[in-house]
Amino acid sequence: MINYRFKPKLGMTIATAIVMALCIKLGFWQYNKAQSKIEAQHQIDQGMQLAPVTLPSAIDDEEKWRYKRVSFKGEYMPEYQIILDNRVHNTKAGYQVITPVKVLDEERYVLVNRGWVEGNPNRTLPVIETPTGEHTFVGDLFFPLAAVFTLESTQDKNAPSQASWQPLWQHIDMPRYQSLVPFEVKPYIVRLAAGEMAGGLVRDWPVPKSRITIHLGYAYQWFGFAMTIFVIYIVLNFKKLKKENE
């Protein structure tokens, strides 16, 4: 008969605890990201089932209004239009077009994401037609990240506002945009709804549910790593004591 005794070493115990804690933390991080995507998808689904509401003059609670479908009237201001580089649709490289809109009868300006256009092979900027006159805009409210750091954005933030307008951007930076235009813009973007005319382009907006299973898969992976490390720790610390012949 072979006898075993559990005799863990202090160093291995500490290392195992640290690595397991890290794996579990990463697992919960991915799990929480999945839950936030589920909540966002719920907000989108709920908003699409309801009729659009009139865009309010002020929004105090971002979470309440996130992805909510709104409607307002206004006119495009294409001279302050920007296009976001490196946006892919159906494996094709292109841009997203964001144009400010002056709200009808108000001194209020809103950025509208009109959708995607395909890029040119020679990397010259595409010619984007913008309709004139008054339009009714229907779309979903989107709040960009408060800050995204890149070398490009840092350099442009320091540039004088009188410099020539640069339409090509890598990402949306609301403070930077506000510093470069001669009017006050609201801190959100209206993503033009599919099917709405009003100068819309290709609108196949990414939905949170497409990432939910990915985040859950990563979470289970990290939890699995933690369990595997624990099992290896247990196995390696069982020591054979003696062997008795029957």
Side-chain angles (χ1 to χ4, degrees):
M1 180 179 179
I2 301 176
N3 292 325
Y4 291 90
R5 179 176 295 175
F6 184 61
K7 298 180 64 177
K9 294 181 179 180
L10 179 60
M12 182 181 291
T13 300
I14 294 174
T16 300
I18 292 173
V19 175
M20 283 185 62
L22 178 61
C23 290
I24 292 171
K25 182 177 181 180
L26 290 172
F28 276 114
W29 175 56
Q30 290 291 341
Y31 179 79
N32 290 333
K33 289 182 72 172
Q35 294 304 308
S36 66
K37 293 291 190 298
I38 291 173
E39 177 60 27
Q41 187 62 51
H42 174 71
Q43 289 179 301
I44 292 174
D45 294 340
Q46 191 176 48
M48 293 183 68
Q49 293 174 2
L50 302 174
V53 298
T54 301
L55 181 67
S57 58
I59 293 178
D60 297 325
D61 188 349
E62 288 188 8
E63 291 304 317
K64 178 182 176 181
W65 285 89
R66 193 181 303 276
Y67 302 118
K68 188 176 286 292
R69 183 150 291 188
V70 297
S71 174
F72 64 99
K73 293 182 178 181
E75 185 174 355
Y76 281 121
M77 299 181 62
E79 61 269 31
Y80 294 106
Q81 176 172 279
I82 61 176
I83 58 177
L84 303 184
D85 200 2
N86 299 316
R87 298 307 192 265
V88 177
H89 175 71
N90 287 341
T91 71
K92 294 181 179 179
Y95 310 90
Q96 282 184 6
V97 180
I98 298 180
T99 311
V101 170
K102 183 183 182 299
V103 180
L104 183 66
D105 298 329
E106 297 183 31
E107 288 302 317
R108 181 161 46 125
Y109 297 82
V110 175
L111 293 181
V112 173
N113 191 332
R114 297 164 56 191
W116 179 90
V117 292
E118 186 174 355
N120 297 318
N122 59 5
R123 291 289 295 171
T124 58
L125 296 183
V127 176
I128 301 166
E129 295 184 0
T130 303
T132 59
E134 179 187 319
H135 300 278
T136 297
F137 299 90
V138 177
D140 305 320
L141 285 182
F142 173 75
F143 293 85
L145 293 175
V148 179
F149 177 81
T150 65
L151 181 60
E152 173 264 340
S153 64
T154 302
Q155 292 171 339
D156 286 340
K157 280 181 182 178
N158 295 329
S161 58
Q162 293 80 7
S164 60
W165 182 255
Q166 299 296 326
L168 184 63
W169 291 34
Q170 296 302 314
H171 64 273
I172 271 293
D173 184 332
M174 297 300 286
R176 172 193 171 201
Y177 185 88
Q178 182 63 81
S179 70
L180 295 174
V181 297
F183 50 82
E184 184 176 352
V185 65
K186 292 297 180 179
Y188 51 76
I189 295 173
V190 175
R191 297 199 294 196
L192 200 62
E196 293 295 322
M197 302 305 289
L201 305 167
V202 177
R203 282 149 289 162
D204 185 14
W205 306 120
V207 292
K209 65 182 178 183
S210 64
R211 300 287 302 176
I212 291 173
T213 54
I214 295 176
H215 289 306
L216 287 176
Y218 286 149
Y220 298 145
Q221 244 182 13
W222 285 116
F223 292 143
F225 289 154
M227 181 59 67
T228 301
I229 291 168
F230 179 70
V231 171
I232 293 173
Y233 167 76
I234 295 296
V235 172
L236 292 179
N237 285 285
F238 268 106
K239 304 299 182 182
K240 186 193 300 183
L241 295 181
K242 64 179 180 178
K243 179 177 181 181
E244 297 179 358
N245 294 324
E246 297 182 346

